[in-house]
Amino acid sequence: MSLQTEIRGYIRGIPAIPVERQRELAAIAKCRHVYEWAEHGRKINVRDAWIKSLRPGDIAWLADIRCLTLPKPPRKTGPMRDLGTAIADVLSTGAIIHDDRVGIRSDDRKRWANHVSWALDTARNAERNQKRAKKRGPHNPSPRALATKWLAATM
């Protein structure tokens, strides 16, 4: 008895690729099962259900690796740690991660290492920006916001 490799997709809207476009890409990639993130409350974590459904040899399809980061990571866990943990969890199932945006798979060791490094750097920068925004607060806007206001036509 041989196990059939299945393509199992995970969709979560990110600014770079909206959910509708990810659905189209998943259909083009012929994903047999697609798990879509939605706000279901705290009881259901679709990402965890997707990871648990993966078997050795399956293709864990993502429109973009950054889709793995939860919109609001658990307390005391930033986006970088959340993304790293999710990648490790998927790979521990024996599945192969396929990032459709760049066409890189986790079984391509050299390109994969560079890609994960880039994704973690991106998540780290997002984490820094969140911390800076919290420090500034609503009454102390960023210098970029001030410059934009100054350059506005109404000034």
Side-chain angles (χ1 to χ4, degrees), residues 6 19 42 60-62 74 96 108 111-112 116 118 128 136 140 142:
E6 290 190 10
V19 172
R42 298 187 183 268
W61 182 91
L62 298 162
I96 297 167
D108 182 351
R111 292 178 62 204
W112 180 251
V116 170
W118 168 83
R128 284 182 188 161
R136 281 196 182 95
N140 188 8
S142 70

Side-chain angles (χ1 to χ4, degrees), residues 132-133 135-143 146:
R132 286 180 186 151
K135 284 181 183 177
R136 281 196 182 95
H139 304 294
N140 188 8
S142 70
L146 293 175

